[in-house]
Amino acid sequence: MELYLYIALFAPLVGSLYASLFSRSPKSQHVGIVASGLLFTSFVSSAILLSYVMGGHTVHTEMMTWIAAGDLYIPFGFVVDQVSVVMMMVVTIVSTVVHVYSIGYMDHDKGFNRFFAWLSAFVFSMMVLVMSDNFAGLFIGWEGVGLCSWGLIGFWYHKESATWAANEAFIMNRIADLGMLIGIFLIYWNTGSLQYDVVFAEVGNLQIVVVTWIGIFLFIGAMGKSAQFPLHTWLADAMEGPTPVSALIHAATMVTAGVYLVVRANPIYDLIPNVGIFIASLGAFVALFAASMALVNRDMKRIIAYSTLSQLGYMFVAAGLGAYWVALFHLMAHAFFKALLFLGAGNVMHAMHDELDPFKMGGLRKVMKGTFIMMTLASVALAGIYPFAGFFSKDLILEVGFVEHHYVIYTVLLVTAGLTAFYSFRLVALIFHGEERYKLFGIHPHEAYKFMLVAMSPLLVLAMIAGAFKMTYFQLVMNLLPATQYHIHSQTTFWIMTIGTQLFVIAAILFAYKKYANSGVSVPDGTSKMENSFVYKLLWNQYYIPKIYDEVFSKPYAELSRIAWKQIDLKIVDATVDAIANGIYKTGENTRHIQNGNLSSMLRWMVVGLVVLMTLAVAFSVGYNVVGA
């Protein structure tokens, strides 16, 4: 089985290296085909490993020694167990679909080959992250996805907005990663190892205050990767990258890494329930916070991005309350319908000549039937309608909140579920229903390539049926994660809650359709009463948090940098270097006549030099005798 482990891990790297060979060449269709084929190979290997792990086995291999210094020993070690294999399947399924889809999406882009080099490297970094058997390997993959996200978000580097968004994501994640690095240092300092099995065996012997600080610092890293408040602003801005990148970041890589870290480190967080409560509370806040901003946004991709942020909040609620398997289950289900939504949005963008405002669309179901069906069903799954995947995973999280008596968290998540249904179908209604407003802007939409729709179809199937595998999944992960089942003891209460939630969500969907699917919708111009209300402006401006960050951090930092440049760099550092250079130059200019080629003049200077040397020799001799005396 080790062979399959290495194939699953390194096939994306081979695809990236192959694409890199042609990165400076004109578009080569074979680059996308080879990269996609290698991702499919990784998926097949992961599926074989899944079958093996379901038999109660694990695969643990040490490829070579990485660091051996004193007592520190870190190998290139990888493990395929019940948790990592689930992540491997999610990553490879979504990535394979995204790669095949990208062949059509990036068809006319001159950076086609370079795109696949970055995209496959992104997947490889995520595989390193989830398959490593130690925190150091996880951190290498962690930084790898950060680097690749920078390259992919800023892929169209000729756009200033894209480079700015890439730098924002990179810098904000580096801030959070410092916290994670401190947590890893604390782990090694107190356990003498970074191997998962050793650390989790020893962590119970540590003082609770030490474990608390380890959990806090690790979660700071997770906050950055999974864009939790207050390190959330980069996620919506990351929509500047190509849409397949958005699908990959939001569904299978990058933002899911933070949830995976908390799930993987569950023996640590089991010992510090107070930190878990904080994680759950923050997750509930972020779920509602992000959903509220999606209510008024007019950028199709940003609306879906806020949806991801909100669903990440759900996952952290489950993880914070100790329901790690539930968090991982929602991560898996969410990956399928969220990738499908983003890829559908990519189809709409191509059809609308990169237009992102849904108010400038309308009636697209007539010319984009395939995309319409897929995005509608993906939105049904996101809203949590039975029997789609989102129902099973989100309903479980609500049950966890209720069973654990965290009724405030439960209420917040319930309200968020209604908001999610509303903004999801607001988007569907504006894009696919009502008048064909795009005609006002001279746009002639068209459906995507058929093979792109075919590539998306596995995600559609999984978004519809993944929930049916809940018990199979539970039996798989219960060997590694706490196997707590969350059931509301009163069947009456359970059915009232479940049916009530479904009716609430359906009512939100119907309200969205009634408001936005009719023919009276027009393009907002900023003059309506609602658009000028305080609440609308607050949500439209993202609670003014980006502006606050700009005023409190960015502008003072820029001003400090300007002062340091003008007052320190130019007037002190540069002036000192220039003074030394000028002094040496002038000394050379003043003494160059010594070597003027005139014999008598050169002899005189030789005599002067001899006198100076003799004088110095006498002075040193006298000084030495005086000291000796």
Side-chain angles (χ1 to χ4, degrees), residues 165-358:
N167 290 337
E168 180 191 22
F170 190 81
I171 293 169
M172 193 164 286
N173 274 275
R174 297 295 74 71
I175 294 170
D177 291 351
L178 176 60
M180 181 180 175
L181 202 56
I182 293 173
I184 292 174
F185 285 154
L186 285 174
I187 288 172
Y188 177 72
W189 185 266
N190 289 279
T191 66
S193 177
L194 293 176
Q195 300 295 118
Y196 291 149
D197 50 358
V198 176
V199 171
F200 298 152
E202 291 290 331
V203 73
N205 300 323
L206 303 181
Q207 294 182 1
I208 198 67
V209 65
V210 174
V211 181
T212 300
W213 280 114
I214 289 173
I216 289 172
F217 281 117
L218 289 180
F219 181 65
I220 290 173
M223 287 171 64
K225 272 291 181 288
S226 295
Q228 296 297 284
F229 179 87
L231 304 175
H232 66 281
T233 55
W234 70 266
L235 189 62
D237 294 334
M239 297 303 97
E240 289 290 338
T243 303
V245 174
S246 303
L248 205 53
I249 287 177
H250 288 249
T253 60
M254 192 72 173
V255 298
T256 59
V259 179
Y260 171 78
L261 173 62
V262 176
V263 172
R264 173 58 78 180
N266 69 88
I268 294 175
Y269 288 100
D270 276 341
L271 298 173
I272 44 176
N274 289 338
V275 175
I277 294 299
F278 170 78
I279 293 173
S281 301
L282 180 63
F285 166 75
V286 170
L288 182 60
F289 172 72
S292 66
M293 291 187 288
L295 294 175
V296 302
N297 202 278
R298 285 176 51 186
D299 184 309
M300 176 173 55
K301 287 177 66 176
R302 282 178 176 262
I303 292 170
I304 303 174
Y306 286 131
S307 168
T308 299
L309 184 55
S310 182
Q311 297 307 306
L312 287 167
Y314 273 88
M315 297 174 206
F316 277 115
V317 167
L321 296 180
Y324 306 104
W325 72 271
V326 176
L328 191 61
F329 184 54
H330 189 50
L331 184 156
M332 177 182 67
H334 170 265
F336 303 138
F337 54 74
K338 186 50 59 67
L340 186 60
L341 275 174
F342 267 114
L343 298 184
N347 292 348
V348 174
M349 280 184 64
H350 264 199
M352 293 293 296
H353 302 172
D354 291 334
E355 178 57 60
L356 288 166
D357 189 349

